[in-house]
Amino acid sequence: MQNKKGITLSVNFLVVIILALVILGFSVYFLASIISRAKGLGEMTQQDLDKKIESIQCEGIVCIPINYKQIERGKFDIFGIKIYNNKGEFHTFKVEVNAVSKNVLGILWAPKELDVPIRTNEEKRIGIGFQIEKNTPPGIYIFNVKVYDQSGEQYGSTAQIRIGVA
C-alpha cells in the first residue's frame, strides 16, 4: 500500500512540473511577441503613422484627412486628397486648388487644376505638392480645394489646406 502512495505522489509531482513548464513556455512566447510588436511600432516613422491615421480619418466623397502641416522654408510637402465617385457612372472630376490667403508669392503648388477620371463606386487619391521658398514670410497660408463634376457643379464640400511657415 505504501508503495502506491509513493508512485501517486511522484506522478502528481511530474504533472505539476509539466504544467509549470508549459505555462512558462507560453509566457515567454507571449512576452517575446509583445516585445517584437513594440519594436516594430518604434521603427515606424511619423509619416507612416500619419498615413495609417489618414486612411482611418477620411470619410465623405471629397476628403483631405490631414489638412494642416508645418513646412519649413526651402522644403516641399504633399497633401493627399481622396475623391469617391458615387455618381452611378464613370465620371471625370475637375479639381481646383486656389489660394485664400492674399500674399502667397513664396509658395508654389501643383497641380492648380487637374482632371481626375474615376469609375463608378471607386475612389482615387491624388496629391497636391507645395514648395515653400526660402524668402516666404512666416504665417499660416490657406488654400481652397474644390471638386467639380462633369456638369460643372461642385461635388462635395470645399476642403481647405492650411500650411504653417515658421
Side-chain angles (χ1 to χ4, degrees), residues 30-45:
F30 182 68
L31 186 63
S33 68
I34 288 175
I35 289 172
S36 68
R37 286 185 190 151
K39 192 181 265 187
L41 183 62
E43 292 172 356
M44 290 181 78
T45 65

Side-chain angles (χ1 to χ4, degrees), residues 14-139:
L14 285 175
V15 168
V16 168
I17 292 293
I18 291 171
L19 285 174
L21 289 174
V22 168
I23 290 172
L24 178 66
F26 278 123
S27 300
V28 168
Y29 171 76
F30 182 68
L31 186 63
S33 68
I34 288 175
I35 289 172
S36 68
R37 286 185 190 151
K39 192 181 265 187
L41 183 62
E43 292 172 356
M44 290 181 78
T45 65
Q46 185 64 40
Q47 290 174 340
D48 294 334
L49 291 172
D50 287 345
K51 285 179 184 175
K52 287 190 181 286
I53 291 170
E54 183 175 305
S55 65
I56 294 169
Q57 291 180 320
C58 208
E59 294 180 9
I61 55 176
V62 176
C63 176
I64 301 176
I66 298 175
N67 66 349
Y68 175 80
K69 289 184 182 179
Q70 185 83 21
I71 305 175
E72 295 177 28
R73 290 184 188 117
K75 300 287 182 178
F76 173 83
D77 209 338
I78 296 175
F79 287 84
I81 299 171
K82 180 199 81 159
I83 303 169
Y84 177 76
N85 180 3
N86 68 355
K87 287 287 200 180
E89 58 187 31
F90 179 83
H91 223 73
T92 300
F93 297 92
K94 182 178 184 177
V95 178
E96 288 184 356
V97 183
N98 297 307
V100 174
S101 305
K102 295 197 185 230
N103 186 12
V104 290
L105 295 176
I107 299 178
L108 305 173
W109 69 95
K112 294 185 180 187
E113 286 186 10
L114 177 67
D115 289 332
V116 182
I118 307 174
R119 287 187 238 158
T120 305
N121 296 325
E122 289 191 3
E123 68 181 39
K124 194 168 252 187
R125 295 174 187 264
I126 59 170
I128 299 175
F130 288 88
Q131 173 70 41
I132 309 302
E133 299 294 317
K134 292 192 183 254
N135 60 349
T136 304

